[in-house]
Amino acid sequence: MYNFSIKPVVMASALLMGLSSGFAQDNLVNALKNNASSNSKESFKFTDVINLENTSIKNQGSSGTCWSYSANSFIESEMIRMGKQPVELSQIFSARNAYVEKGKMYVRMHGAVTLGDGGAFHDVMNMYRKYGAVPQTVYTGLNYGTDKNKFAEMSGVMEGVLAAVVKNPNGELTPNWEKAYTAVIDAYLGQVPTSFDYKGKKYTPQSFAKEVVGINPDDYVEISSLQEYPYYSKFTLLVPDNWAFDQVYNVKMDELTEIIDNAVKKGYTVAWAGDVSEKGFSWKNGVAFIPEKNFADMTPEEKADMFNGPKPEMKITEELRQKAFDNYTTTDDHGMHIVGISKDQNGKEYYIVKNSWGLSNDYKGYLYMTKDFVKYKTTDIMVHKGAIPSAIAKKLKL
C-alpha cells in the first residue's frame, strides 16, 4: 500500500490530544502548507453539475471543532432543503455541550476516553436532541477578547480538572466535580443562555430547535465502510474521537460514493469525515486526489506539478482501504460538508466540499475532492435516511 501521508508531522500531537485539540488542528493546517502547485487554479477547469445551496464559509480558528462546524453547516443546508430560512447556528453551543457530556464519560470510564476538542457528527445530533440549538449571534463562544476560537489553554485546564477527579483523592467522588468542570468551560466559552430573543420572539434552546430549525435528529444516520465488520449491519467506529461509542452502518466501499451521489442528486448535502493529512490533499489549491505514483518515488518536478491540472489516480480497493485504516495511514482527522458535484475539463467528477478554515484558499473556502479520495480516506459520512438509495436502504433495514 502506498503511503502518501504526512502523519509523522502531526502524530505526536495526535497521540497526546486525540488529534482533536487546537494544537493538533494548527499542526494539521500548517503541515498542509507545502501541498501546493504554482498554477493549479489556471490548470483546472471545473464545471458545476450540482451545487446545492449552503450558508457562508466559517473559520473554526485554533480549535478542533471541525465536526461541529461541518455538522451545523449540514443542518443549515437541511433547513434550506426543507424550505426554511436558514439560521447561522452556533457551532460552539454544540461543542460546549459535547464537552460537558464528554467529561462525564471520561470520569465514568476512569479516564479511558480521549479528551481534547474533537468529536463526531453524532455528537452534534445528540446535543441537538438533548440541549437544542441557538443562533451564532446568541452564543459565539468568544468570551475573552479573541475574534476566533483559541482553545488550547481551555483544553489543558479541562484535562487538568478531570485528571484530578479521576485520581479520586477523597476516596469517593463528591457531587461537585461536574459543577467545577462545567465552570471551567463556561469561564472560557461563556454561559449558555436559558432563553433569548430571535426576530421578536423569545425562545429556549429547545424551543428554538423545535420551532425554527425543525429537523428531527432521528432522521439522520452515519455510514462507514470496513471489511472487518459484516456489511449492512452496525458497528462501533473505533476512532479516538468517538468518545460516545456511537455506532455507524457498514456498506461496501463503492456504496459510499453511490450514497453521496444519490444524496446530492436528490438535493441532500452530506457531512463527511476522514483523513486530509495526505500528500494528495492541497488546501491551498483546493484539490484532493490519490496520486497514482508513490510520492516518495516522484521527481522534484512531478511533486511540484501535482496539483497543476488533473492527474491519474491509484486504483482503490476495499483491501487497501481496510489496510490504511488498520495501519494508521487513514485517521479520523477532519470533518467537512459535501455540497455538490463538479467536473474537470476531462469530464471526471469531483465532490464540491465546504471547509471551515476560512477563505484563504484558491476557491474561497471550498475544495474539489475526487471520488477515489473519498473511497480511500473517508472514515464516515452522515446523511438523511431519505438520501440513501432504496436498494441500499433496504439492505440496511432503514
Side-chain angles (χ1 to χ4, degrees), residues 29-54:
V29 175
N30 289 333
L32 295 171
K33 285 184 177 178
N34 292 328
N35 292 5
S37 298
S38 58
N39 297 306
S40 178
K41 193 171 183 181
E42 295 78 14
S43 302
F44 278 100
K45 304 298 179 187
F46 288 114
T47 303
D48 290 353
V49 178
I50 302 170
N51 196 337
L52 299 173
E53 191 174 353
N54 55 93

Side-chain angles (χ1 to χ4, degrees), residues 180-328:
Y181 172 66
T182 302
V184 168
I185 299 173
D186 290 347
Y188 282 94
L189 301 181
Q191 291 189 337
V192 294
T194 56
S195 65
F196 56 91
D197 291 325
Y198 181 76
K199 293 187 175 181
K201 185 176 178 180
K202 188 172 288 294
Y203 295 94
T204 66
Q206 289 82 1
S207 68
F208 185 80
K210 181 179 180 180
E211 297 173 26
V212 179
V213 181
I215 68 159
N216 178 1
D218 296 330
D219 286 340
Y220 301 90
V221 294
E222 287 179 291
I223 299 171
S224 187
S225 176
L226 288 174
Q227 277 189 316
E228 64 179 314
Y229 301 106
Y231 291 124
Y232 314 116
S233 64
K234 297 182 79 172
F235 70 95
T236 303
L237 184 59
L238 298 179
V239 295
D241 283 334
N242 187 14
W243 57 268
F245 305 111
D246 274 26
Q247 292 195 315
V248 301
Y249 286 94
N250 197 30
V251 300
K252 295 181 179 179
M253 181 186 73
D254 288 343
E255 290 174 326
L256 281 176
T257 49
E258 185 180 343
I259 291 168
I260 297 171
D261 288 347
N262 188 71
V264 172
K265 289 172 183 176
K266 292 178 67 174
Y268 295 87
T269 63
V270 179
W272 179 89
D275 188 337
V276 302
S277 53
E278 300 293 321
K279 287 297 187 183
F281 183 96
S282 173
W283 166 237
K284 170 62 177 68
N285 293 149
V287 176
F289 75 112
I290 303 296
E292 184 179 47
K293 190 174 184 180
N294 187 348
F295 184 79
D297 296 333
M298 292 183 187
T299 65
E301 292 76 19
E302 287 173 326
K303 292 177 181 179
D305 192 53
M306 274 184 65
F307 303 103
N308 286 338
K311 299 290 188 296
E313 293 189 271
M314 182 173 66
K315 174 65 176 175
I316 307 302
T317 65
E318 292 189 348
E319 290 74 20
L320 279 175
R321 176 180 164 78
Q322 180 70 54
K323 184 176 181 181
F325 186 83
D326 289 341
N327 68 18
Y328 289 8

Side-chain angles (χ1 to χ4, degrees), residues 65-119:
T65 52
C66 57
W67 53 277
S68 187
Y69 276 77
S70 49
N72 276 287
S73 176
F74 171 82
I75 292 172
E76 291 161 6
S77 284
E78 279 294 274
M79 291 183 70
I80 296 170
R81 183 187 63 80
M82 295 163 66
K84 295 174 173 285
Q85 180 67 33
V87 179
E88 305 264 344
L89 298 172
S90 171
Q91 307 88 359
I92 304 306
F93 180 78
S94 302
R96 179 262 181 205
N97 294 324
Y99 297 158
V100 171
E101 297 301 323
K102 186 190 297 189
K104 295 177 186 176
M105 179 68 83
Y106 185 86
V107 173
R108 179 69 65 190
M109 294 291 291
H110 296 243
V113 172
T114 299
L115 286 177
D117 308 350

Side-chain angles (χ1 to χ4, degrees), residues 67-68 71-72 75 94 120-129:
W67 53 277
S68 187
N72 276 287
I75 292 172
S94 302
F121 298 139
H122 56 250
D123 294 330
V124 172
M125 289 301 178
N126 290 341
M127 297 310 108
Y128 180 95
R129 185 183 290 108

